[in-house]
Amino acid sequence: MLTTVPRGTKDILPENVHEWQYLENKIRELCLLYGFNEIRTPMFEHTELFMRGIGETTDVVEKEMYTFLDRGGRSITLRPENTASAVRSYLQNKLYADGGITKLFYIGSMFRYDKPQAGRYREFHQFGIEAIGEQSSLIDAEVISLGAALLKDLGLNDVLLKINSVGCPKCRPVYREKLQSFFKDKLTELCNDCQSRYERNPLRILDCKNPHCKELAEGAPKITDCLCEECADHFDKLQDSLTNLGIDYILDSHLVRGLDYYTKTAFEFKYLPLGAQSAILGGGRYDGLIEECGGNPTPAVGFATGLERVLLALETQKLLPPKNAYCDVFIIAMGKKAEQPAFKLLQQLHDKKLSALMDYAGRSMKAQMKQANKNGAKYAVIIGDDELANESATVRNMTDSAQTTVPFASLIDKITFEVNK
Ligand code: AMP
């Protein structure tokens, strides 16, 4: 127990951390270009926020939240996603105060009591963006294009963009009824989850993963045939914009989100080689959520992407960068007397902003050379009895093995010059 992580979590080890940094840097660069600003919200919130912000009938809220009473008796939940928190912060901090659109992005850990498997964890990381305060379909297209640009910048091919419209509280009830009458005589054949969805949330039957439910849903009426004029117009314009930007997509009438505050656009990027966990990025419009959380009616659109899945996709495509060893100088002290001068030199090199390492265990020359190589050192600086007597160090270029003797007085300048040249 003491030496294993809880199920569904994992360490990100030093040998892999550069992969995360690579991905996060790409994300930050892109968000800067599109004018999205980073927000960092707490890892936990009042449980009520997620009940409202995600919806009490969703799997996430019903089955997957890490909820506990804190020592003050308050119900607290580890965030299972970040949109609700972003909206809470937007309202609490009046991020709307300047008027116009508020563009936010986040990167961080999320927590869901999910069934762990490849690409599915209990602590996982999401990058997401939220554009709050604009109803134009242009911003839906921009949000989608940022997602597409990220996957493209990373070099991921084989991605598929699916889009749909889920209508709005005006047109959806008509569709809901049509859908219920379509499933009425198939009700007993649906899985247990879908049977309870039938009353509460029938649109969700369409994206059930159960193969039999999928079969039963074939030929179901399409919501896009039931959209009101405003929603139909929004969806048409979105498609025009995507075509204008050269972003390929397919229409998928089974791509749905059942809750009232999801409106109009729904989309998903799939990375097909990942199989069961192929959904790598999902999002849509949620014009009703801000009001649901206590604000004025405010349109908004966003997406979230699972970073573990993106990394998995990059790994299968061999698109991850190699780890660069980073060590300018390895100092080799031979003998006790050399230890303090070498240690001082180490500090002086750090002061010059060079990466420098030394061995503290008094190992043999051969062992220390090996260490220098393992760390990818560009130079080794050797200080032993002879060097101390001559007040000079031996500087070895680790690439071509050339050695020079450099007086202590000019050692720092010489190394700084060589490393930076
Ligand atoms: P969602 O918030 O459920 O729409 O999920 C958005 C994205 O987060 C998905 O497309 C996945 O890439 C990722 N994701 C969701 N749940 C998990 C999980 N348990 N483990 C890893 N990634 C996840």
Side-chain angles (χ1 to χ4, degrees), residues 111-130:
F111 306 87
R112 293 185 195 173
Y113 196 79
D114 237 325
K115 201 169 154 214
Q117 50 194 285
R120 186 170 286 277
Y121 307 95
R122 291 184 174 167
E123 184 194 15
F124 61 100
H125 298 78
Q126 281 187 339
F127 152 57
I129 65 174
E130 317 291 351

Side-chain angles (χ1 to χ4, degrees), residues 128-413:
I129 65 174
E130 317 291 351
I132 308 177
E134 177 55 66
Q135 58 184 348
S136 165
S137 61
L138 288 177
I139 191 74
D140 304 46
E142 184 177 270
V143 163
I144 292 176
S145 77
L146 194 156
L150 175 66
L151 301 176
K152 189 167 158 228
D153 280 4
L154 292 168
L156 281 179
N157 304 314
D158 292 335
V159 292
L160 182 69
L161 167 63
K162 295 175 165 192
I163 62 167
N164 193 23
S165 173
V166 295
C168 70
K170 260 188 290 166
C171 50
R172 203 162 21 210
V174 181
Y175 176 65
R176 207 185 132 103
E177 268 179 36
K178 272 195 178 180
L179 204 57
Q180 279 177 326
S181 43
F182 174 82
F183 282 113
K184 198 167 180 188
D185 47 348
K186 303 180 173 66
L187 192 54
T188 52
E189 282 189 69
L190 291 169
C191 73
N192 288 341
D193 279 348
C194 281
Q195 293 196 13
S196 79
R197 284 173 186 145
Y198 180 81
E199 277 305 331
R200 296 185 309 169
N201 201 343
L203 271 73
R204 292 298 308 272
I205 301 176
L206 296 176
D207 75 345
C208 180
K209 304 282 172 283
N210 181 309
H212 191 53
C213 293
K214 274 188 180 195
E215 249 171 60
L216 293 172
E218 272 170 34
K222 290 184 177 174
I223 188 163
T224 39
D225 294 332
C226 302
L227 296 177
C228 63
E229 207 181 312
E230 186 191 322
C231 288
D233 185 51
H234 188 94
F235 197 42
D236 283 346
K237 286 191 173 136
L238 169 65
Q239 293 179 62
D240 287 348
S241 299
L242 294 177
T243 308
N244 182 24
L245 298 183
I247 298 174
D248 292 335
Y249 61 89
I250 59 164
L251 298 178
D252 179 357
S253 59
H254 287 201
L255 183 65
V256 290
R257 309 180 146 218
L259 298 167
D260 277 355
Y261 45 74
Y262 291 117
T263 51
K264 299 175 178 156
T265 313
F267 66 93
E268 184 174 83
F269 283 92
K270 284 190 165 248
Y271 178 65
L272 301 170
L274 287 186
Q277 314 305 333
S278 63
I280 55 174
L281 188 153
R285 195 163 255 290
Y286 49 92
D287 288 349
L289 179 58
I290 287 111
E291 194 178 6
E292 181 73 27
C293 293
N296 291 325
T298 310
V301 56
F303 72 63
T305 180
L307 298 189
E308 280 81 358
R309 294 206 192 156
V310 174
L311 288 169
L312 208 60
L314 291 173
E315 199 185 326
T316 53
Q317 299 265 58
K318 305 213 180 335
L319 287 168
L320 286 170
K323 180 173 163 52
N324 286 328
Y326 185 60
C327 174
D328 295 318
V329 184
F330 194 96
I331 304 168
I332 298 178
M334 293 309 299
K336 271 276 164 230
K337 269 202 286 181
E339 213 175 66
Q340 286 299 345
F343 192 51
K344 178 80 189 278
L345 176 62
L346 183 74
Q347 176 63 44
Q348 288 167 323
L349 293 175
H350 289 159
D351 288 345
K352 291 281 181 192
K353 308 297 173 216
L354 297 188
S355 83
L357 296 170
M358 72 177 274
D359 164 77
Y360 301 109
R363 290 190 176 85
S364 69
M365 170 71 91
K366 198 174 154 201
Q368 293 199 45
M369 268 303 172
K370 224 169 149 181
Q371 248 180 303
N373 270 320
K374 198 173 150 201
N375 283 290
K378 294 180 195 145
Y379 290 90
V381 173
I382 302 157
I383 304 176
D385 288 344
D386 289 352
E387 283 81 3
L388 287 174
N390 297 329
E391 298 203 353
S392 310
T394 303
V395 176
R396 181 183 174 95
N397 181 326
M398 298 297 280
T399 320
D400 60 13
S401 305
Q403 294 201 164
T404 46
T405 303
V406 181
F408 285 159
S410 54
L411 186 57
I412 308 278
D413 285 346

